[in-house]
């Protein structure tokens, strides 16, 4: 099954989302989503290379790491979640460092980043969505 959606995005973008659900009889169904931004005037798909300044990649990754820490601390109130090691003890970022995913949306008020199951955590963590307001990330965008 596939569910799709189109939304008005930030600064002349159109946001397209697709969610996929496939049950092949295993322990759990396969679920994943794909988020895409399009320039409304040209119809061109906007990649992360089109959107984020090359010299700001590390800044974006630092912002995402901080958002992941805060997000997971809220989700796991009984655990201390303040460091990379704390995240790894919960199963996050064991096989990769934080990165800018291809799945992001330039929504009206924030840049939304989507990590699908298994991207940075086990299946049980589910989809991880990190929201960064433009006030926090605007300096990292090519066309702010």
């Amino acid at each position: 099954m596939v569910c799709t959606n189109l939304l008005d995005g930030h600064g002349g973008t159109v946001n397209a989302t697709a969610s996929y659900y496939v049950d092949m009889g295993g322990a759990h169904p396969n679920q994943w989503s794909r988020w895409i931004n399009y320039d409304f005037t040209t119809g061109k798909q906007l990649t992360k290379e089109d959107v984020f300044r090359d010299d700001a990649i590390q800044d974006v990754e630092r912002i995402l790491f901080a958002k992941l820490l805060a997000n997971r601390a809220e989700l796991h109130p009984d655990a201390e979640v303040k460091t990379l090691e704390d995240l790894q003890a919960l199963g996050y970022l064991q096989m990769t460092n934080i990165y800018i995913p291809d799945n992001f949306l330039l929504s009206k008020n924030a840049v939304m980043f989507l990590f699908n199951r298994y991207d940075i955590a086990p299946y049980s963590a589910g989809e991880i969505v990190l929201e960064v307001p433009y006030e926090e990330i605007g300096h990292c965008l090519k066309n702010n």
Side-chain angles (χ1 to χ4, degrees), residues 19-98:
S19 297
Y20 304 87
Y21 178 91
V22 179
D23 189 346
M24 300 181 72
H28 53 72
N30 292 319
Q31 299 173 331
W32 67 96
S33 297
R34 180 73 176 107
W35 291 358
I36 304 171
N37 300 280
Y38 293 98
D39 182 303
F40 182 76
T41 57
T42 66
K44 179 184 184 292
Q45 179 179 339
L46 300 173
T47 66
K48 59 187 174 185
E49 291 80 15
D50 296 323
V51 172
F52 300 102
R53 292 188 5 239
D54 294 337
D55 63 341
I57 299 305
Q58 289 182 339
D59 285 345
V60 176
E61 291 171 349
R62 276 192 288 276
I63 292 167
L64 289 175
F65 183 75
K67 291 291 182 184
L68 180 62
L69 277 174
N71 181 282
R72 297 299 104 168
E74 185 176 316
L75 187 64
H76 301 279
D78 296 335
E80 185 171 330
V81 185
K82 295 182 179 179
T83 67
L84 173 61
E85 292 76 20
D86 295 338
L87 284 171
Q88 289 173 330
L90 293 170
Y92 300 88
L93 299 176
Q94 291 185 342
M95 306 285 288
T96 186
N97 294 321
I98 195 75

